Amino acid sequence: MTRRLSRAAAALGALGLAAACGGADAAVPPAEFYAGETIEFVVPYEPGGGYDLYARDIAPYLAKCTKSKVRVLNEPGAGGLLATSQTAVAKPDGLRVEIVNTIGVVSAQVGRVEGLNFDLADFSWLARLSTEPNIVVVAADSRFKTFDDMLRSKEPVKFVSTGPGANDYINPPLLSKIYDFPAEVITGFSGSGEARTAILRGDADAQVMPLNTALSGIRAGLMRPVLVIGETDDKHMAGVASAAGITPRTPQQQAILRSLLDLTETSRTVAAPPHLDKGRLEYLRQAFKCALTDPGLVRSGAEQQRPVSYLSGEDTRNLVVKVLNADPAFQTVVRANS
């Protein structure tokens, strides 16, 4: 018993020392604290994907704006939720930031996915990096020439999906509820490429994907867009039906649509762990503003089809909280399909 109490006392003493050190650290001016330090920029997926490329594009600009070193760290797992769970419990010292698939993690929280250990409202939101609409695409030779054709379908429209937590998983049941047409989601694909192949060979009908992901197939003439969920002025979307322009039949459906459009607006964001010191929170928010509005990053992002659409940390937090508290009908659909 004495030995156990000694261990407990030692552990509590270590925690007290760490807290004291953290308090001392917090007294250091943020600019002085970050100079020469290493910020871990966490990506919740494997290297090579869109989120990873965005982080690697931004890292040198963030390093310049903070006078620190920025190391991109990939932490894949659980559809992006593993890294976010780690961020939720990480030390709030401002040296870990994460690029977040906000649509996925918000949907997971609203859907009450089993095992989640976080509340996104508690995170230290730093900025939105980009926003882009989702696009419903079909094969070029599909029987669905327009979104109206889907709305008139008597049989379920077969949507492919890479699995729970992805845009292509939660959007189809929401669209089905909003516009009163039958839909079925088919999963089990190893990735978006395999899912797309199922559409092209006629095993399924449609997929929901981010605009920039869809553009290569659209330009190649392999796929055709039939619906835009969100806002864009891309020339390839000219004449394509917009969800915002199709008024649902009932007030409840209209409320679900508004929440879906708000969710789409969250897109890719950056967050730090909860309880970050206010001085460092504001410093990091300004650092990301500095990085994301740098003309060099904006120009290269546009050239590489990774456009930057900056939103302040405070506005990003407000948008996330708004979707977390979305219309009950929207939450019901998300929970039923999580």
Side-chain angles (χ1 to χ4, degrees):
M1 174 67 76
T2 302
R3 189 173 298 172
R4 288 180 183 172
L5 288 173
S6 297
R7 286 201 200 102
L12 288 171
L15 286 173
L17 179 61
C21 291
D25 266 358
V28 177
E32 182 180 332
F33 171 79
Y34 282 103
E37 282 281 5
T38 297
I39 297 174
E40 291 187 339
F41 198 169
V42 175
V43 178
Y45 302 106
E46 296 281 359
Y51 284 82
D52 181 67
L53 294 173
Y54 261 103
R56 294 181 190 279
D57 286 347
I58 295 164
Y61 293 92
L62 181 61
K64 181 175 70 172
C65 291
T66 56
K67 296 182 173 58
S68 64
K69 301 172 185 176
V70 178
R71 180 167 72 100
V72 175
L73 181 66
N74 296 87
E75 292 184 1
L81 295 177
L82 178 61
T84 308
S85 295
Q86 295 292 338
T87 297
V89 297
K91 183 179 179 181
D93 57 7
L95 296 178
R96 177 187 173 99
V97 300
E98 180 191 342
I99 181 171
V100 180
N101 174 356
T102 330
I103 293 175
V105 296
V106 168
S107 298
Q109 181 169 326
V110 171
R112 298 176 181 172
V113 170
E114 186 177 355
L116 287 191
N117 69 332
F118 55 75
D119 181 351
L120 294 169
D122 294 335
F123 277 56
S124 302
W125 294 98
L126 305 178
R128 184 187 66 192
L129 307 181
S130 69
T131 184
E132 60 182 306
N134 282 317
I135 311 297
V136 178
V137 295
V138 298
D141 60 355
S142 171
R143 62 192 175 95
F144 298 113
K145 305 303 179 187
T146 66
F147 188 61
D148 278 342
D149 292 339
M150 287 188 177
L151 299 185
R152 290 191 290 264
S153 180
K154 301 299 183 185
E155 298 178 355
V157 179
K158 296 179 180 179
F159 286 84
V160 294
S161 171
T162 52
N167 294 350
D168 57 18
Y169 189 83
I170 196 63
N171 272 274
L174 285 169
L175 291 173
S176 173
K177 182 71 173 180
I178 292 166
Y179 294 116
D180 287 323
F181 72 97
E184 175 185 353
V185 179
I186 303 171
T187 60
F189 303 98
S190 61
S192 58
E194 185 177 313
R196 184 185 307 183
T197 299
I199 298 173
L200 297 180
R201 68 184 177 214
D203 295 338
D205 299 313
Q207 185 174 15
V208 179
M209 61 178 67
L211 171 61
N212 289 318
T213 304
L215 278 178
S216 60
I218 293 170
R219 288 171 177 156
L222 299 174
M223 299 189 303
R224 183 173 62 253
V226 296
L227 183 71
V228 179
I229 307 168
E231 297 182 2
T232 181
D233 56 2
D234 188 281
K235 63 181 181 181
H236 295 89
M237 298 301 110
V240 179
S242 168
I246 305 174
T247 303
R249 181 174 52 84
T250 70
Q252 183 185 72
Q253 291 170 320
Q254 293 166 21
I256 298 173
L257 175 59
R258 286 193 296 270
S259 295
L260 173 59
L261 294 174
D262 286 340
L263 178 64
T264 303
E265 277 291 300
T266 62
S267 198
R268 296 180 177 93
T269 58
V270 181
H275 312 303
L276 183 61
D277 170 76
K278 288 183 179 180
R280 292 186 194 173
L281 172 62
E282 183 57 28
Y283 184 84
L284 284 176
R285 283 178 170 178
Q286 290 303 315
F288 270 98
K289 179 179 181 180
C290 167
L292 296 172
T293 58
D294 188 291
L297 177 63
V298 174
R299 182 172 56 254
S300 66
E303 291 170 351
Q304 298 175 63
Q305 295 180 14
R306 288 192 289 277
V308 174
S309 177
Y310 167 75
L311 188 69
S312 74
E314 183 64 26
D315 287 342
T316 298
R317 183 189 184 279
N318 290 340
L319 183 57
V320 169
V321 171
K322 181 180 180 181
V323 181
L324 290 176
N325 296 312
D327 184 85
F330 171 85
Q331 296 189 32
T332 298
V333 176
V334 173
R335 286 170 191 159
N337 293 277
S338 296

